[in-house]
Amino acid sequence: MLVVMQAHATEEQVRDVCQKIEKMGYRAHAMPGAQRTAIGITGNKAEIEPGTLEEMPGVQEVIQVSKPYKLVSRELKEDNTVIRFPGTNATIGGAGLAIIAGPCAIESREQAFAIADRVSRAGAQFFRGGAYKPRTSPYSFQGLGEEGLRIMAEVRQQFGMKIVTEAIDHESLDLVEEWADVIQIGARNMQNFSLLKRAGRARKPILLKRGMSATLEEFLMAAEYILSEGNYNVALCERGVRTFADHTRNTLDLSLVPAVQRLSHLPILVDPSHGTGKRNKVTPLSRASIAVGADGLLVEVHNKPDEALSDGPQSLFPDQFDELMAQVRQIATVVGRTVPAIGARETVVAGK
């Protein structure tokens, strides 16, 4: 069920409708837009009688939502969601492309700072790095844990970049929420519904990666879990799906980008590093991602990829990332998007 408010509806009228919905035993999700505010209703087991809501001041209409995912649907919110970060011009969604770059895993302070210096100079406003690494083998490097989070906090302090890092369970999510700016939920946890609910109660934006074999509807329903708990700052990420192909690590499904944008208001990024698993394919697929309309990129960069403890073969050298950014800038102009200038850095704000 969706309550569409009139364009001139006041904040008090919106609040009154939300309170009415809560008194009926349901949950109200107010989504302000450029032209109107829509209020999604969740928690109902069957159709709700619209009469009592339609008669309330400021209500334009009450309609049924046809999609199983209610809150992520464009039926609820026509305007694209833009995730903003106070004190900075960095966004996920909107005209500016979100460029997220850094190593697969934080290995040391020296390594993280060397990479952050290069990617920030190239124009990346977000630094990615894993403190917790879910690995196929229990004997592989699992990450530095809280020490890695502290190193990334120092990166933010030094370079003014926003920090994106993955939480793999409830315990790590508590720490990631404390230290990071964006909490990543990885492909292996896309349908970890308990973790998704916890992410929905977090105070930080969520970057949700598509599962290795997830359909479009399953992907959007995973995002619905997060929004249903009250966290509306969610971005999606296509990172490739598992197929029979052996010329890439995964098969990057760029058709998902316009498909998501047709059905949902959430921003969607592309990870060409995991999507291909091969360094020589990252830049071409980055170009294609921007051309097809992606809201940004996640790119793995390492100063010594041949010595990397995780995903070295798909990590770009810093010089290669510079070239990628030069090419992305050219394509961004064609599709009406912007990329931060070379050498542009945010003003560093003290503290976390």
Side-chain angles (χ1 to χ4, degrees):
M1 182 74 76
L2 173 64
V3 180
V4 180
M5 302 299 292
Q6 297 170 356
H8 61 271
T10 65
E11 292 184 9
E12 183 179 1
Q13 289 172 334
V14 172
R15 186 167 56 250
D16 288 344
V17 172
C18 290
Q19 290 176 349
K20 178 68 174 179
I21 293 169
E22 299 286 347
K23 287 180 179 179
M24 295 168 68
Y26 310 125
R27 186 163 186 175
H29 304 266
M31 297 277 194
Q35 303 297 328
R36 64 174 191 178
T37 292
I39 304 172
I41 303 175
T42 59
N44 52 306
K45 305 300 182 182
E47 289 188 10
I48 301 171
E49 174 55 48
T52 55
L53 294 173
E54 284 180 325
E55 297 172 359
M56 295 188 69
V59 173
Q60 179 175 312
E61 62 178 330
V62 179
I63 60 177
Q64 297 292 332
V65 178
S66 61
K67 299 291 190 297
Y69 39 87
K70 302 177 181 179
L71 302 178
V72 309
S73 173
R74 283 206 184 273
E75 293 183 46
L76 173 64
K77 184 181 179 185
E78 294 180 353
D79 307 315
N80 293 331
T81 287
V82 179
I83 301 174
R84 304 184 187 280
F85 300 85
T88 174
N89 62 7
T91 64
I92 300 178
L97 293 175
I99 307 298
I100 305 172
C104 177
I106 300 298
E107 300 166 9
S108 68
R109 186 179 186 277
E110 179 184 14
Q111 170 243 22
F113 269 61
I115 298 168
D117 179 65
R118 290 297 303 270
V119 299
S120 65
R121 290 183 185 279
Q125 293 178 299
F126 298 85
F127 184 75
R128 60 145 297 151
Y132 302 94
K133 299 301 302 178
R135 305 297 297 279
T136 301
S137 169
Y139 309 114
S140 298
F141 178 62
Q142 305 289 314
L144 297 179
E146 189 169 1
E147 180 187 352
L149 295 175
R150 293 180 184 277
I151 291 171
M152 283 186 282
E154 291 185 52
V155 166
R156 174 176 51 216
Q157 177 71 20
Q158 177 69 29
F159 300 100
M161 305 176 76
K162 297 301 178 184
I163 301 304
V164 182
T165 191
E166 182 175 357
I168 60 174
D169 51 29
H170 285 249
E171 181 180 3
S172 62
L173 197 150
D174 290 340
L175 285 169
V176 170
E177 182 179 7
E178 178 183 353
W179 290 98
D181 299 293
V182 179
I183 303 168
Q184 177 180 308
I185 302 297
R188 290 177 173 85
N189 276 315
M190 191 207 80
Q191 289 185 310
N192 182 339
F193 302 121
S194 173
L195 187 62
L196 294 178
K197 288 182 177 180
R198 169 63 183 87
R201 297 189 293 272
R203 304 181 306 278
K204 301 288 180 67
I206 306 298
L207 178 65
L208 176 65
K209 284 196 167 186
R210 183 186 184 185
M212 297 179 187
S213 59
T215 65
L216 171 58
E217 182 169 303
E218 288 170 339
F219 193 20
L220 293 177
M221 289 302 295
E224 186 79 9
Y225 264 90
I226 301 172
L227 271 74
S228 69
E229 292 294 326
N231 189 342
Y232 308 129
N233 287 319
V234 176
L236 306 174
C237 182
E238 160 60 22
R239 47 81 69 203
V241 291
R242 183 167 292 174
T243 68
F244 292 104
D246 58 6
H247 62 284
T248 63
R249 177 179 178 180
N250 296 293
T251 299
L252 193 63
D253 180 12
L254 292 184
S255 69
L256 187 81
V257 173
V260 163
Q261 291 170 335
R262 181 175 64 87
L263 297 173
S264 176
H265 55 85
L266 299 179
I268 178 166
L269 290 75
V270 173
D271 178 350
S273 299
H274 283 92
T276 64
K278 296 182 181 293
R279 187 178 301 131
N280 65 352
K281 292 181 172 64
V282 173
T283 296
L285 270 298
S286 294
R287 295 195 302 259
S289 300
I290 301 307
V292 82
D295 293 300
L297 299 169
L298 264 76
V299 180
E300 291 190 354
V301 181
H302 201 291
N303 56 333
K304 299 177 181 179
D306 294 336
E307 301 175 16
L309 298 180
S310 178
D311 286 350
Q314 67 190 34
S315 299
L316 296 182
F317 288 91
D319 287 348
Q320 291 176 314
F321 182 70
D322 290 344
E323 179 60 26
L324 179 153
M325 290 294 287
Q327 296 180 21
V328 162
R329 282 190 178 86
Q330 297 179 52
I331 298 171
T333 300
V334 175
V335 296
R337 309 298 285 269
T338 61
V339 182
I342 297 174
R345 288 182 176 174
E346 298 290 344
T347 301
V348 178
V349 179
K352 292 188 285 186

